[in-house]
Amino acid sequence: MSKPIRSLIPYGLASSIARMIVLWCAFTALTLPALAVVGASSILPAQLRCEYRVNPLGIDTVRPRFSWICAARNASDRGLIQTAYRVLVASSPQNLAASKGDLWESGKILSDRSDNVAYAGAALKAGQRCYWKVEIWDGSNRPSAWSAPSDFSIGLPGPRDWHARWIGMDGGDERDCPWFRKEFSIISVPESALIYVGSIGYHELYVNGHKVGDQVLTPSVSDLQKRALYLTYDVRPLLKPGMNVVAIWGAPGWGPFRDFNPVVDFHVAKSPLVIAQLQLGAARGPFQKIVTDATWRCAPSTTRHLGEWHNSDYGGDQVDASREVPNWNRVGLDDSGWAHAHIYPVTLALSPDAVEPNRKCDTILPTKVEKIAPGKFRFVMAKLFTGWVEVRIKGTPGRKITISISSLSDRQVEFNERDAFVLGPSGVGTFCNRFSYHECGFVTVEGLEDAPAISDVTGYRIANDRKRTGDFDCSNRLLKKIYDITVNTYVNLSTGGMTVDCPHRERLGYGGDGHTSLELALGTFESDAFFHKWARDWCDIQEPDGRIYHTAPTMGGGGGPAWSGFVIFMPWEVYQTYGDTRILERTYPTAHKWLAYLDAHVGSDGILAPLPGGDWYFLGDWAAPGRSEASNTPEALLFNNCYYLYVTRLAAHIANVLGKPDDARALTARADTLRQAINKRFLNPDTKAYLDTRETHCVMPLLAGAVPADAIPQVMTNLENEILVTRKGHLDTGLHGTVFLTKYLTEHDRNDLVYTYATQTTAPSYGDLIAKGYATWPEYWEGADSRMHGCLNGIGGWFQRGVAGIRPDPAAPGFKRMLIQPAIVGDVTWAKARFKSPQGTVISAWNRKGGRLTMDVVVPANTRATVVVPVGDARSILESGKSAMRARGVTFRKTRGNATLFDVASGAYHFSAPFRHGQLR
């Protein structure tokens, strides 16, 4: 038996680590309702997911995949594995409860696989609802109890499944937010009632006066030249026998967006369009269908969009409460004066919005309110955030109140972030954004007759509501602050199924900023569905000649190969974390075509030349301290050719994973030729410098594998000298340089260098920005008016992957195996991190004090880990008080320099060893 956790960790970290592991055990137990009384299996199936989500409605495949985790019945057990599984899929909850898999009975499958198990049963139909559960067998061939039941439904995958028509207001204005409604009668409430609602622009759905769901700003953003998105809603609980009404509130949203779109006039109507199909019947059908058509009624609502919807003017909401119709979404309204909806010929593909929806994720209150002028008051919010503002107002009926939003104390409004509210007959009302959002730090309310109370304003952070899957803490408060600010910056940039550069000015899904935040996102939030959706967007924007622009799904802004190449870099990193090849399968054709586009612009010297399009299409390391690498510079040429080499090598790996050996060989050959050209053009044979020894110019050839083997030590020495001596411990990198430098140093065990530049407090550094008052990262190292930008997020992945050492093992993607290799750096005396991997929760915590190092590790059931203890004398290492060489579940692998590697089965472990400060770099 293991010793109690408190006796294993005799230092000050004991209580916090103990709480972490106890919480992990409690969390696991909470996922296993009513299972404690059955079976002798040591593992139980929990946290069931279908196509990455819990109980998803309207999935886009009739061959879904199922996943679960193997939860340990006893948290102290080690070496737990799954040896077999059995999946049942039924057409009704009753059949499932009776263990009648009338749709699919997999039988007992001998496999340790617990993720993305493909459905192989009877053909499923559009709109069908299904119910499933799983049982598993442990290493002693003992079956578990059945899991708790789960369910999913099929969406409307093809055009023939849609009987609804796109409708809008005839002759409407693109700023209108119209109401649509349709009454219908049913004899009784059906077994199933799913409605599929798509829109060009945003929509809200109401049934019998009740808003359906708590999601907002739906659907997510898509490339509206090619694809519109729809959501599936279960409205059965809101229906009643007799008359019912379905109502939809539409809004322009991204519909009017035209920045940089090659086809400017792709709209078929000026007003928002919606499409809806309500299917009533049994879970398997047949269905009675209520569809949008010309019989629906429509009218202007209380709300219009205020301003434009493009770069530097995303506007806000204008609400006229005097136009309120209290029962517009209820049965019995006399809508005879409303116009009939107009049918519009839309040819866009319709796809499910298969990502966590936007929701109110946080409440932000003002810290003070101050009078600026008569009737004009400014509220200072507790922190900068992306989202909505709610303002309670009273005054003379018909009076107009304006609400101005800014992130800066010296500006009332930025980029036309304005709202307006006209008081209704009661003279009392509440404004809240509905179909727009802002980057908000200061709220100025103008036109008031009386002084407001501080409680009259409330802020709501709006973002894709992704569950938190990871966290980090350590003894160094500066590092913890940097981590927290990077997370805060990221969550405020992720709304609408993409990560944007900033929420107020451009609001575009830049691939460059996507690179900086990717490792942080994968380690901190549920990200599989999010990145599958965003990957599809990058495929959608590809031009016929293979070109990919720099932002997706909405095109605009400058960049270069290291922006467009997100279509390769991101899927590969997602695959490493989740182990799902589907994202590689879906993006590979796009990536391959894009690489061919680049290859067409390679000169006779083998070097990729600046791409056509102008000065904004071949940028280098953007936003470095005091400079950026413009398209026509040698620095940009080096950077882009190294990046081109890097993603070509990644594409070759992807081709091998997908079973395309001919492609892999061709890509590898292309990479070898490019490598030679880079070295011929840029490498100084004497100094081993590429142009010069700037940090980005050292790390990009290293990362890309361009550096000849015999030159790697000298290039690494150049890089180390550049960081420690030339830059005096500071960064000299921009948007891409920071993320790739941090990534390379982490993966090559030079976390000491990352620690050095992470802990600087003079410019340029994170510490300097914190001292200047930034609570989200600005656009530039020098600071900027744009106080919430993704450019500096590149350090975010280091805290979990470097300091705590939790990383996927490339040999077994998806955390089937993992690497626990903590970095004992600088003055950090303890660190801890948690990551909920696809296989279960991983914990890494370490502490050094009094000449000893302790490491506490939790490895999920049905997985293994390589644990690297940073002590070279393997005989001195203990596990739970005994020699680690003989510990249960631990196998010695080898000693490597000042570290010992162990192969570890699942379970909780406590390693300890003598440790001398400074024995590592």
Side-chain angles (χ1 to χ4, degrees), residues 710-731:
D710 61 350
I712 290 176
Q714 183 58 51
V715 176
M716 191 65 215
T717 298
N718 292 344
L719 175 59
E720 182 173 2
N721 185 72
E722 187 72 16
I723 294 171
L724 298 179
V725 180
T726 306
R727 304 297 168 186
K728 297 181 173 57
H730 292 75
L731 281 166

Side-chain angles (χ1 to χ4, degrees), residues 179-186 195 204-212 235-249 276 278 280 290 295-298 326-335 338:
W179 287 326
F180 302 90
R181 53 179 276 123
K182 173 73 174 182
E183 291 194 8
F184 62 95
S185 179
I186 55 176
I195 184 170
E204 289 184 350
L205 173 67
Y206 296 81
V207 172
N208 294 329
H210 299 281
K211 183 177 183 293
V212 184
V235 297
R236 184 180 184 275
L238 299 176
L239 297 178
K240 62 182 188 301
M243 292 301 298
N244 293 264
V245 64
V246 173
I248 301 172
W249 197 339
L278 171 59
L280 309 170
I290 311 296
T295 66
W296 282 57
R297 298 281 189 164
C298 60
N327 297 313
W328 77 270
N329 52 17
R330 295 182 179 275
V331 171
L333 175 73
D334 180 6
D335 59 11
W338 289 31

Side-chain angles (χ1 to χ4, degrees), residues 175-401:
R175 290 181 175 83
D176 285 338
C177 300
W179 287 326
F180 302 90
R181 53 179 276 123
K182 173 73 174 182
E183 291 194 8
F184 62 95
S185 179
I186 55 176
I187 297 173
S188 60
V189 176
E191 178 184 357
S192 176
L194 298 180
I195 184 170
Y196 309 87
V197 182
S199 55
I200 297 177
Y202 294 133
H203 73 258
E204 289 184 350
L205 173 67
Y206 296 81
V207 172
N208 294 329
H210 299 281
K211 183 177 183 293
V212 184
D214 59 356
Q215 56 266 73
V216 300
L217 297 176
T218 55
S220 299
V221 191
S222 63
D223 177 7
L224 290 173
Q225 297 178 94
K226 295 184 179 179
R227 188 184 309 276
L229 303 181
Y230 70 89
L231 283 86
T232 304
Y233 303 87
D234 183 355
V235 297
R236 184 180 184 275
L238 299 176
L239 297 178
K240 62 182 188 301
M243 292 301 298
N244 293 264
V245 64
V246 173
I248 301 172
W249 197 339
W254 286 89
F257 178 81
R258 294 181 175 87
D259 286 14
F260 294 93
N261 285 316
V263 182
V264 173
D265 190 17
F266 60 87
H267 306 280
V268 297
K270 287 188 175 181
S271 62
L273 303 184
V274 299
I275 187 170
Q277 184 163 309
L278 171 59
Q279 299 196 158
L280 309 170
R284 301 183 70 172
F287 301 111
Q288 173 193 354
K289 299 180 179 67
I290 311 296
V291 301
T292 46
D293 56 24
T295 66
W296 282 57
R297 298 281 189 164
C298 60
S301 74
T302 58
T303 303
R304 283 171 53 84
H305 185 69
L306 180 64
E308 304 296 331
W309 193 285
H310 58 61
N311 189 340
S312 300
D313 182 0
Y314 282 96
D317 288 343
Q318 179 171 291
V319 178
D320 187 345
S322 67
R323 300 178 59 181
E324 184 65 66
V325 179
N327 297 313
W328 77 270
N329 52 17
R330 295 182 179 275
V331 171
L333 175 73
D334 180 6
D335 59 11
S336 59
W338 289 31
H340 283 282
H342 186 76
I343 295 176
Y344 289 90
V346 176
T347 58
L348 297 175
L350 261 171
S351 298
D353 189 6
V355 67
E356 295 87 349
N358 298 317
R359 290 192 176 97
K360 294 179 180 178
C361 297
D362 259 332
T363 299
I364 297 93
L365 300 177
T367 58
K368 68 176 180 178
V369 58
E370 51 195 7
K371 185 175 181 179
I372 304 299
K376 184 176 180 180
F377 297 84
R378 185 178 71 166
F379 292 79
V380 180
M381 306 306 291
K383 61 181 178 180
L384 188 64
F385 67 97
T386 298
W388 288 358
V389 173
E390 182 179 272
V391 184
R392 287 165 288 282
I393 301 167
K394 60 182 178 180
T396 304
R399 189 174 183 86
K400 183 177 181 180
I401 309 299

Side-chain angles (χ1 to χ4, degrees), residues 344-662:
Y344 289 90
V346 176
T347 58
L348 297 175
L350 261 171
S351 298
D353 189 6
V355 67
E356 295 87 349
N358 298 317
R359 290 192 176 97
K360 294 179 180 178
C361 297
D362 259 332
T363 299
I364 297 93
L365 300 177
T367 58
K368 68 176 180 178
V369 58
E370 51 195 7
K371 185 175 181 179
I372 304 299
K376 184 176 180 180
F377 297 84
R378 185 178 71 166
F379 292 79
V380 180
M381 306 306 291
K383 61 181 178 180
L384 188 64
F385 67 97
T386 298
W388 288 358
V389 173
E390 182 179 272
V391 184
R392 287 165 288 282
I393 301 167
K394 60 182 178 180
T396 304
R399 189 174 183 86
K400 183 177 181 180
I401 309 299
T402 60
I403 302 161
S404 303
I405 308 297
S406 177
S407 65
L408 302 171
S409 60
D410 61 348
R411 299 180 193 176
Q412 179 174 322
V413 64
E414 288 182 286
F415 307 112
N416 201 29
E417 293 187 293
R418 293 183 297 118
D419 304 298
F421 185 80
V422 177
L423 283 158
S426 70
V428 177
T430 299
F431 168 86
C432 187
N433 294 100
R434 185 183 298 273
F435 295 125
S436 64
Y437 63 96
H438 305 302
E439 179 185 315
C440 180
F442 301 88
V443 180
T444 302
V445 184
E446 194 169 1
L448 297 175
E449 297 173 282
D450 298 307
I454 195 170
S455 59
D456 285 341
V457 166
T458 304
Y460 301 103
R461 183 174 65 82
I462 305 294
N464 286 101
D465 191 16
R466 296 149 65 191
K467 291 182 180 177
R468 187 78 180 255
T469 57
D471 51 41
F472 168 84
D473 198 3
C474 72
S475 61
N476 185 302
R477 293 296 86 188
L478 174 59
L479 293 181
K480 171 61 170 170
K481 186 73 170 177
I482 294 170
Y483 171 77
D484 288 341
I485 289 178
T486 309
V487 172
N488 186 37
T489 303
Y490 175 73
V491 298
N492 279 284
L493 298 175
S494 299
T495 301
M498 61 178 178
T499 301
V500 299
D501 59 328
C502 60
H504 61 339
R505 187 179 72 215
E506 294 185 63
R507 200 180 286 184
L508 298 177
Y510 276 94
D513 299 72
H515 280 81
T516 68
S517 298
L518 185 57
E519 286 190 351
L520 175 77
L522 291 171
T524 313
F525 297 95
E526 283 191 350
S527 295
D528 36 10
F530 183 89
F531 285 115
H532 274 76
K533 181 269 178 192
W534 203 12
R536 182 179 62 193
D537 295 333
W538 284 95
C539 296
D540 279 351
I541 69 167
Q542 186 167 43
E543 293 295 301
D545 65 356
R547 177 190 305 225
I548 296 176
Y549 290 94
H550 310 128
T551 66
T554 52
M555 289 181 286
W563 280 254
S564 310
F566 195 57
V567 77
I568 298 176
F569 178 76
M570 179 262 284
W572 178 252
E573 292 291 324
V574 173
Y575 165 68
Q576 291 296 311
T577 299
Y578 290 100
D580 182 8
T581 59
R582 182 174 291 184
I583 193 169
L584 302 181
E585 294 163 358
R586 289 180 171 176
T587 56
Y588 181 76
T590 300
H592 197 269
K593 188 175 181 180
W594 176 71
L595 288 172
Y597 168 79
L598 294 188
D599 197 43
H601 293 88
V602 170
S604 59
D605 60 353
I607 293 295
L608 176 65
L611 300 175
D615 292 342
W616 291 95
Y617 282 72
F618 205 69
L619 300 179
D621 190 18
W622 189 252
R627 72 185 198 287
S628 287
E629 294 178 356
S631 295
N632 59 352
T633 61
E635 292 82 3
L637 200 66
L638 169 64
F639 173 85
N640 284 310
N641 275 274
C642 287
Y643 183 83
Y644 179 30
L645 174 58
Y646 177 59
V647 291
T648 300
R649 292 192 187 281
L650 290 185
H653 292 318
I654 293 170
N656 276 321
V657 170
L658 297 180
K660 299 179 182 292
D662 292 343

